[in-house]
Amino acid sequence: MADKTWMTQESYDRLKEELRHLEEVERPAIARRIDEARQEGDLKENGGYHAAREQQSWNETRILQLKEIMENAEVGEPPADDGIVEPGMVVKATLGRREVKFLMGSREASPDVDMDVYSPDAPLGQAIMGHKVGETVDYLAPNGKNIKVKLLEVTPFE
């Protein structure tokens, strides 16, 4: 995930707070649970120990994921209102016969927006990135079907 991903300041701040919580609150609490479970003895059959280790693994994975997202985040104002699909733009398009509206950006922004969010790295995102309003492109869906996508409207996220 080396490409920059656009997100709102609110989304970035929410991720930053989640990271702080995982590092400063959850990490020490999990370490205490592991230590307490170790003191109980036989680790092979110690369900509390194994559960705490699994939780530790999840926590550390999420910490790494958040750090990578934040390191590659492009935070702030959406791009110029030029009708070109890029991160930070709201796209209205027809996919086959149905009309859809979504934000091109980070899935981590989803809780802050009232619409679907598609990553530029997703198959649909890759198909339409850099295209303009009025253009029609082919999109190879995950199910293997070729779908025509007509870009109806591309505006900055507000």
Side-chain angles (χ1 to χ4, degrees):
M1 188 177 147
D3 294 332
K4 292 288 183 190
T5 301
W6 180 85
M7 67 176 61
T8 63
Q9 184 65 52
E10 293 81 16
S11 294
Y12 185 85
D13 291 344
R14 181 181 47 78
L15 295 178
K16 187 175 178 181
E17 176 55 28
E18 181 183 352
L19 177 62
R20 185 205 63 76
H21 179 78
L22 293 176
E23 288 180 327
E24 297 176 11
V25 177
E26 290 298 321
R27 185 183 272 164
I30 293 167
R32 277 192 300 279
R33 284 194 294 276
I34 289 172
D35 187 49
E36 289 167 2
R38 265 195 197 119
Q39 293 175 18
E40 292 176 9
D42 186 11
L43 298 181
K44 287 182 193 174
E45 297 182 20
N46 187 330
Y49 172 79
H50 292 289
R53 289 297 302 230
E54 187 173 314
Q55 187 177 18
Q56 180 184 44
S57 175
W58 180 92
N59 193 65
E60 294 305 315
T61 299
R62 181 64 177 158
I63 286 171
L64 291 173
Q65 182 183 44
L66 288 171
K67 285 181 176 181
E68 184 176 352
I69 290 167
M70 292 171 68
E71 184 178 297
N72 294 303
E74 188 174 311
V75 181
E77 297 300 315
D81 190 1
D82 55 8
I84 298 173
V85 177
E86 58 186 309
M89 299 299 272
V90 174
V91 178
K92 185 175 175 184
T94 56
L95 265 66
R97 295 183 197 150
R98 65 186 179 110
E99 194 172 287
V100 296
K101 183 176 180 181
F102 58 89
L103 171 64
M104 184 64 67
S106 169
R107 290 177 187 244
E108 295 295 336
S110 294
D112 296 337
V113 297
D114 192 22
M115 70 181 80
D116 290 335
V117 179
Y118 287 90
S119 167
D121 297 328
L124 177 59
Q126 290 176 358
I128 64 173
M129 284 295 289
H131 289 277
K132 292 182 176 187
V133 171
E135 292 184 0
T136 301
V137 297
D138 288 329
Y139 155 60
L140 184 60
N143 65 4
K145 291 185 179 181
N146 195 28
I147 300 172
K148 294 244 182 256
V149 180
K150 179 164 176 116
L151 300 173
L152 305 174
E153 202 176 294
V154 179
T155 57
F157 177 76
E158 295 180 18

